[in-house]
């Protein structure tokens, strides 16, 4: 089993991901931020799309479902909430498995950013597609869920092996680093922030990241250490609220 992941920037700060199971050539797009960009990348690679895998219903994640399905005939898989804005062929949730060719992708419920947000985890290759739940040095805003729900979701991702490669859906890392430095002075964070600013200066992506790197430097995963007097969910909620009001 092995997957090839092709990552490319689209819209203003999204990443598109085309994922191919090498054994069978079966190909999926993770979300549909920009139908034209995704179809152009498929064309360039010479890949045929079989599956659309949505993480949540937001338009920069599911807005291209209809156009891409019309162009490719791909089957659309995602959480039920996607039907708020886009077509869906198969609803999935926690505990379900989606086969990408011969590679099983486990569905993890990661609600909080939206209530029904999910992530896709390839345990064999140690790869996770986490949408807008976990970002490099950040996490998604709580548009629909509670701090308790989001903390539970982030804890599930943090429990994956440290060497799991994490594909997040946006390039927010420099802004996230500025906020992180305002609440945490861990040396590992300072080193990483410097590397992030330099990478962005050179126009390089800071995605993907890893679970181990996020556990060491992401202030949202480190919330219980940064706010030891609070329960973990309350510590997380306080840092999330501080980020929402941060003018960096
Ligand atoms: Zn979103």
């Amino acid at each position: 089993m092995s997957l090839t992941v092709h990552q490319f920037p689209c819209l203003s700060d999204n990443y598109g991901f085309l994922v191919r199971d090498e054994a069978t050539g079966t190909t999926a797009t993770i979300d549909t931020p920009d139908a034209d960009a995704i179809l152009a990348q498929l064309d360039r690679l010479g890949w045929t799309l079989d599956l659309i895998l949505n993480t949540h219903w937001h338009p920069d994640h599911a807005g291209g479902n209809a156009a891409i399905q019309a162009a490719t005939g791909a089957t659309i898989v995602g959480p039920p909430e996607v039907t708020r804005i886009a077509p869906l062929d198969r609803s999935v949730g926690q505990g379900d498995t989606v086969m990408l060719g011969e590679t099983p992708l486990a569905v993890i419920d990661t609600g909080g950013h939206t209530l029904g947000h999910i992530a896709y985890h390839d345990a064999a290759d140690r790869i996770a597609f986490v949408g807008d739940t976990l970002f490099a040095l950040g996490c998604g805003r709580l548009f629909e869920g509670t701090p308790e729900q989001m903390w539970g979701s982030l804890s599930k991702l943090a429990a994956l092996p440290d060497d799991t490669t994490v594909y997040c859906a946006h390039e927010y890392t420099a802004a996230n680093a500025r906020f992180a430095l305002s609440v945490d002075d861990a040396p590992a964070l300072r080193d990483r922030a410097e590397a992030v600013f330099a990478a962005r200066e050179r126009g390089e992506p800071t995605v993907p990241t890893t679970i181990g790197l996020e556990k060491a430097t992401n202030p949202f995963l480190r919330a219980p250490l940064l706010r030891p007097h609070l329960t973990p969910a309350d510590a997380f909620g306080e840092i999330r609220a501080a980020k929402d009001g941060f003018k960096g």
Side-chain angles (χ1 to χ4, degrees), residues 55-61 113-114 117 131-132 135 143 170 172:
T55 61
H56 65 297
W57 71 266
H58 283 162
D60 62 326
H61 293 263
H113 173 69
T114 63
H117 195 297
D132 287 355
F135 293 126
F143 285 115
H170 290 274
Y172 289 158

Side-chain angles (χ1 to χ4, degrees), residues 159-215:
L160 299 177
D162 280 357
D163 61 356
T164 303
T165 301
V166 176
Y167 291 94
C168 0
H170 290 274
E171 181 60 62
Y172 289 158
T173 318
N176 287 340
R178 286 191 287 277
F179 170 73
L181 290 169
S182 78
V183 292
D184 190 359
D185 62 358
L189 169 63
R190 290 204 301 269
D191 291 349
R192 186 180 180 195
E194 226 167 87
V196 163
F197 297 141
R200 294 307 297 151
E201 197 75 21
R202 295 191 299 266
E204 295 170 2
T206 63
V207 171
T209 178
T210 67
I211 290 295
L213 186 56
E214 294 313 312
K215 277 161 61 182

Side-chain angles (χ1 to χ4, degrees), residues 43-65:
D43 208 38
R44 192 167 77 75
L45 295 164
W47 292 0
T48 301
L49 193 70
D50 302 288
L51 285 171
I52 293 170
L53 303 178
N54 289 132
T55 61
H56 65 297
W57 71 266
H58 283 162
D60 62 326
H61 293 263
N65 280 16

Side-chain angles (χ1 to χ4, degrees), residues 52-55 76-82 88-99 105-109 116-120:
I52 293 170
L53 303 178
N54 289 132
T55 61
I76 308 173
V77 177
E81 66 174 24
V82 164
L88 185 65
D89 297 315
R90 178 186 167 199
S91 288
V92 292
Q94 175 71 38
D96 287 335
T97 299
V98 179
M99 292 305 295
L105 300 176
V107 175
I108 304 174
D109 176 338
H117 195 297
I118 60 173
Y120 296 91

